Amino acid sequence: MRDLAGGFGYLLAGQRWVLRHGRWLGFGLLPGLVSLVLYAGALIGLGYGADDLTAWATPFADDWSSPWLGLFRGFLTALVFCLGLFLAVITFTAVTLLVGQPFYESLSEQVDRTEGGEVPESGLTLAQELWISARDSLRILGRVLLFGILLFALGFVPVIGQTVVPVLGFCVSGFFLAQELTSVALMRRRVQLTEQLALLRRRRMLALGFGVPLVLSFLVPLVAVFLMPGAVAGATLMVRDLVGDDAEQADEQEQGQSQDQGQTQAQTQGQSQGGRPQGQAQAAGKRLSA
């Protein structure tokens, strides 16, 4: 529970940071506005075409009597739209980060700069950063699609499909949303995608506390656009602590291993030193008895 509250605390801290630095709030709104227009058009098109899609996909139900035909296809239409909305929430951040890579990169650097300490730089060109961002986003999208198909299938299970599945959907969305946002700061620290996922899995509740409230707020039109700059700032603040904690744990493990090795060497030396006189005494005893 403390990690859940901590993740939400980073989200609030990021929003406070951009409010204190108003210029960066306006700077970070531009990519979100562009993405919002694209996604709004796509969702409107899906809303108008979802019923035609379900009718095309279920020709076997054409001869069903009323009201079963309407209920069945209406349920499928709602599921298709929910799946589209689920994918939109997940991919919105990835597309917005891709569109606004230079904007959010600068914002994340400014957060590191104002918070003190080292300001990491990836050393990559803009083209390389865009390529890595697009490649990683596609890899994440593949994972999300697998979860989405599984949750879509579980949606047909009575009771579970209407209670447990939506909760799992929000958790999956929140985790991968947190990954997308932290990737801006982690990529500058040259942390690869597999390491990013491993880092967040170790602090899964922290990632959910950060990502799930964002997913819920992103369901409200226009909110995603205004929260994105603060979300990037909050993700950077979270990364600063996560990477610092990992470094401290690694140092402690190395120190513990070195101490264990030192103790093992000392015991080995003690045994070897203690064994030599005993062996010599036994040899002397044998010569006297002879």
Side-chain angles (χ1 to χ4, degrees), residues 10-69:
Y10 283 116
L11 179 60
L12 294 179
Q15 303 304 323
R16 287 195 297 267
W17 188 94
V18 294
L19 289 176
R20 290 197 307 268
H21 304 79
R23 181 173 70 89
W24 289 97
L25 173 61
F27 186 72
L29 288 176
L30 296 176
L33 290 172
V34 174
S35 298
L36 180 66
V37 173
L38 296 174
Y39 275 84
L43 287 175
I44 290 172
L46 180 62
Y48 277 108
D51 52 351
D52 293 332
L53 178 63
T54 54
W56 171 81
T58 57
F60 57 86
D62 289 340
D63 298 330
W64 289 12
S65 61
S66 180
W68 305 115
L69 176 62

Side-chain angles (χ1 to χ4, degrees), residues 76-160:
L76 288 182
T77 300
L79 279 179
V80 168
F81 187 79
C82 288
L83 179 61
L85 189 62
F86 170 77
L87 293 177
V89 170
I90 291 296
T91 58
F92 178 85
T93 304
V95 171
T96 304
L97 291 175
L98 187 62
V99 171
Q101 180 73 24
F103 297 86
Y104 296 132
E105 187 84 15
S106 300
L107 193 155
S108 180
E109 287 181 3
Q110 185 63 24
V111 172
D112 274 326
R113 192 170 291 111
T114 57
E115 293 301 310
E118 183 183 358
V119 180
E121 295 182 1
S122 64
L124 302 173
T125 64
L126 177 60
Q128 290 174 322
E129 290 179 351
L130 289 173
W131 163 248
I132 293 173
S133 179
R135 181 196 64 191
D136 290 350
S137 295
L138 288 174
R139 292 167 66 183
I140 290 297
L141 180 59
R143 289 175 167 86
V144 172
L145 284 174
L146 290 176
F147 280 107
I149 293 170
L150 177 61
L151 293 174
F152 181 78
L154 290 175
F156 292 96
V157 180
V159 181
I160 294 177

Side-chain angles (χ1 to χ4, degrees), residues 52 62 86 148 169 201 204 216 218 245 258 266:
D52 293 332
D62 289 340
F86 170 77
R201 286 194 194 100
R204 185 177 285 106
L216 295 173
F218 280 11
D245 290 345
S258 62

Side-chain angles (χ1 to χ4, degrees), residues 256-272:
Q257 290 175 356
S258 62
Q259 289 176 357
D260 291 342
Q261 290 175 356
Q263 291 175 356
T264 303
Q265 291 176 355
Q267 290 174 357
T268 303
Q269 291 176 357
Q271 290 174 357
S272 62

Side-chain angles (χ1 to χ4, degrees), residues 11 15 25 28-29 32-33 36 92 213-231:
L11 179 60
Q15 303 304 323
L25 173 61
L29 288 176
L33 290 172
L36 180 66
F92 178 85
L214 270 177
V215 171
L216 295 173
S217 62
F218 280 11
L219 297 177
V220 182
L222 295 178
V223 170
V225 176
F226 289 98
L227 291 185
M228 273 296 291

